[in-house]
Amino acid sequence: MRQIDHFISGGAGSTGTGRKHQIWNPSTGEVQAEVALGDASLLARAVEAAKKVQPEWAATNPQRRARVMFKFKQLIEDNMQELAELLSSEHGKVVDDAKGDVQRGLEVIEFACGIPQASKGEYTTSAGPGIDVFSMRQPLGIGAGITPFNFPAMIPMWMFGMAIAAGNAFILKPSERDPSVPMRLAELFLEAGAPEGLLQVVHGDKEMVDAILDHPDIAAISFVGSSDIAQYIYERGAANHKRVQAFGGAKNHGIVMPDADLDQVVNDLSGAAFGSAGERCMALPVVVPVGEETAERLKEKLIPAINALRVGVSSDPDAHYGPVVTPEHKARIESWIDTAEKEGAEVVIDGRGFTLQGHEDGFFVGPTLLDHVTPDMESYKEEIFGPVLQIVRAKDFEEALRLPSEHQYGNGVCIFTRNGHAAREFAARVNVGMVGINVPIPVPVSYHSFGGWKRSGFGDIDQYGMEGLRFWTKSKKVTQRWPDGGGDGSNAFLIPTMG
């Protein structure tokens, strides 16, 4: 069986604890590998290696750092197929979806290649008599990232791309469910010319997370995962005087106005709700048709479209989505469908008990459509994180606006409409961090930033873009005045001459 170790100071590093975590093949239901779990002593080794290399890296001029990022970008492009297949084999998402995972991370690396321009400070001459004021951005030192299973390529690159380009060393703790792609990224980064110890990967569970939160030499932590854990990481990290950004769960809504193009809405929902088996924080698991007529027309069109979705193994090029990541997660999703049914929701299309011929032990959940879901249902309040679409009917625009605005999560939302005034009003008033207008998954491009509100995001600074640069650096402000003369009280300028 394949064994996955840590990546410390440019090579494998054994934890010595003997604890391991099994890695499934979600398509077959078989255990395919084991990953070693680390502890505080292993983290300390990684931190010491980072401390040795970070000062020199920070002193390296930005254009030389950018050259490493450019080379890393090229290596990712050259190895795209390998990375996508490796990702699919552990996560379960189909290969094309996995390529999208890698590509969205690569776009942040592309932005990080512009670090010489992005990291320039500000300068004001003559702020006072003979006084100039300028600022500079300097790295924090050592950063850490704790990343989820659902985007094992994209989210690590969101974090370490900006952190390292800005002059920091970085320690990544990926999900123990699918750690191979983060390991491969670290190898490629080393091949791109990064010094050993600059990017390291440690594996672990809560013991490793707590070690990261408590280590005094780790200056900043970025996290993506569930909201309860995000809040825990934010509070414990901040209590230890670290800079923390912690992004949590989501329950994104799609508002469908009566004038919307329903054929386009159904096409968008098929991908946004069921792509990647719904295992993404920017999935669209709640659709809110405005008015009963809109709801009935939408439902009529959704049923055949959802029934036509093809569920397959991760390597099936014709599959719309593959299995979910673990048997426990499959059981959890089906339990939420049970809960919704008990709460009074109508199960229009039932994905429970779905099996794929020849892969009966795989972790598959069929596409599910629930109607007449109401805001008081627990299945509406909580994140299901699976291929389940819920219809919550709203009588008018104001009720549709209130639903996402009053929900505990505030990650993403979208509105489908042809009415520019309605779209403008919605975007201005909705209490959610990322808004799409006829765009079902409104993930901003790499030169903007990503981040939700309420229980979807803890901390004040978003991921990547210029927000990411601000998170991974500190601003130093300098006020300077140069006296005239040579110190003898005269006003003569002393101009140095050559030879």
Side-chain angles (χ1 to χ4, degrees):
M1 182 180 297
R2 186 163 56 96
Q3 301 294 318
I4 300 172
D5 209 335
H6 311 274
F7 190 83
I8 294 178
S9 202
S14 175
T15 173
T17 67
R19 295 191 305 123
K20 296 183 178 181
H21 187 275
Q22 292 181 330
I23 301 169
W24 298 94
N25 180 331
S27 294
T28 65
E30 298 172 337
V31 176
Q32 60 172 314
E34 291 180 330
V35 60
L37 300 181
D39 56 11
S41 63
L42 181 123
L43 177 69
R45 287 174 47 202
V47 170
E48 288 304 309
K51 287 169 67 175
K52 291 178 181 177
V53 72
Q54 189 273 330
E56 183 177 354
W57 177 251
T60 301
N61 61 49
Q63 59 266 37
R64 290 185 180 274
R65 283 187 249 138
R67 289 170 194 158
V68 174
M69 305 307 295
F70 272 114
K71 179 62 176 176
F72 181 54
K73 169 185 175 294
Q74 184 62 56
L75 288 170
I76 293 173
E77 292 170 340
D78 293 345
N79 292 274
M80 175 68 77
Q81 187 69 27
E82 175 204 346
L83 289 167
E85 291 176 358
L86 184 59
L87 194 159
S88 293
S89 70
E90 292 184 351
H91 177 278
K93 65 177 69 177
V94 297
V95 172
D96 279 350
D97 210 355
K99 287 181 179 179
D101 186 333
V102 179
Q103 179 62 37
R104 289 309 297 263
L106 180 62
E107 290 167 6
V108 174
I109 301 301
E110 289 174 338
F111 179 82
C113 290
I115 195 65
Q117 167 68 21
S119 60
K120 291 192 302 185
E122 300 172 324
Y123 199 104
T124 299
T125 61
S126 300
I131 295 175
D132 302 329
V133 179
F134 66 92
S135 66
M136 62 182 80
R137 290 213 160 264
Q138 296 184 322
L140 302 174
I142 301 174
I146 302 168
T147 58
F149 75 87
N150 58 323
F151 284 94
M154 179 184 78
I155 295 177
M157 284 192 278
W158 279 6
M159 296 178 185
F160 74 71
M162 292 306 304
I164 292 177
N168 300 283
F170 198 86
I171 298 172
L172 173 66
K173 194 218 84 68
S175 171
E176 62 274 20
R177 298 179 188 179
D178 46 7
S180 292
V181 166
M183 290 288 288
R184 187 71 182 112
L185 291 174
E187 293 170 352
L188 291 174
F189 202 70
L190 191 66
E191 186 178 339
E196 294 182 358
L198 190 64
L199 173 60
Q200 301 175 92
V201 182
V202 297
H203 306 291
D205 48 19
K206 185 177 184 297
E207 182 176 350
M208 179 60 79
V209 170
D210 286 346
I212 291 171
L213 293 172
D214 296 340
H215 199 291
D217 291 325
I218 293 177
I221 297 170
S222 183
F223 170 83
V224 176
S226 69
S227 290
D228 288 345
I229 298 176
Q231 183 172 355
Y232 170 80
I233 284 174
Y234 179 75
E235 291 175 350
R236 184 160 174 166
N240 286 325
H241 311 293
K242 301 183 188 304
R243 185 177 292 185
V244 184
Q245 56 177 193
F247 296 94
K251 194 79 171 187
N252 306 321
H253 294 57
I255 312 304
V256 182
M257 298 298 289
D259 67 335
D261 180 344
L262 291 189
D263 290 330
Q264 185 62 53
V265 170
V266 169
N267 183 68
D268 287 346
L269 287 173
S270 296
F274 301 103
S276 196
E279 294 175 311
R280 50 191 180 190
C281 68
M282 289 303 291
L284 194 60
V286 177
V287 60
V288 183
V290 176
E292 286 298 315
E293 182 183 353
T294 306
E296 290 301 323
R297 289 169 53 222
L298 178 63
K299 181 178 178 179
E300 182 181 355
K301 289 178 176 290
L302 275 172
I303 291 172
I306 293 173
N307 282 328
L309 292 174
R310 178 185 173 100
V311 183
V313 296
S314 60
S315 58
D316 182 353
D318 297 321
H320 292 97
Y321 73 86
V324 298
V325 68
T326 63
E328 292 82 10
H329 192 52
K330 170 183 166 70
R332 179 180 178 275
I333 295 167
E334 293 184 338
S335 176
W336 274 120
I337 301 171
D338 294 341
T339 298
E341 186 174 33
K342 291 173 184 175
E343 290 176 323
E346 176 192 357
V347 182
V348 181
I349 300 174
D350 194 346
R352 290 170 292 186
F354 180 93
T355 58
L356 190 66
Q357 185 175 2
H359 298 273
E360 287 78 9
D361 294 328
F363 312 141
F364 297 96
V365 179
T368 298
L369 178 64
L370 305 174
D371 194 7
H372 299 289
V373 175
T374 59
D376 60 320
M377 296 180 180
E378 290 301 313
S379 59
Y380 167 78
K381 296 176 184 177
E382 301 296 335
E383 185 177 34
I384 296 175
F385 219 62
V388 180
L389 177 62
Q390 297 176 294
I391 300 175
V392 181
R393 300 177 180 223
K395 65 179 183 296
D396 55 27
F397 174 83
E398 291 297 328
E399 182 180 2
L401 176 68
R402 284 197 303 272
L403 285 167
S405 295
E406 295 177 357
H407 202 280
Q408 65 168 326
Y409 298 119
N411 206 45
V413 68
C414 74
I415 183 170
F416 297 98
T417 183
R418 291 184 174 95
N419 187 307
H421 175 71
R424 186 175 185 274
E425 186 80 0
F426 182 83
R429 292 173 58 192
V430 71
N431 185 25
V432 174
M434 292 176 282
V435 182
I437 298 173
N438 298 312
V439 175
I441 302 180
V443 177
V445 292
S446 63
Y447 40 90
H448 283 263
S449 63
F450 177 99
W453 292 358
K454 297 179 282 187
R455 283 184 57 76
S456 293
F458 298 84
D460 301 321
I461 305 180
D462 287 346
Q463 294 262 12
Y464 65 73
M466 290 305 295
E467 285 280 282
L469 179 66
R470 282 188 280 271
F471 181 78
W472 294 111
T473 58
K474 52 192 173 185
S475 176
K476 180 179 286 184
K477 284 70 64 177
V478 180
T479 303
Q480 67 178 9
R481 179 174 62 191
W482 296 101
D484 296 339
D488 59 357
S490 70
N491 290 323
F493 287 97
L494 296 181
I495 309 296
T497 59
M498 296 296 292

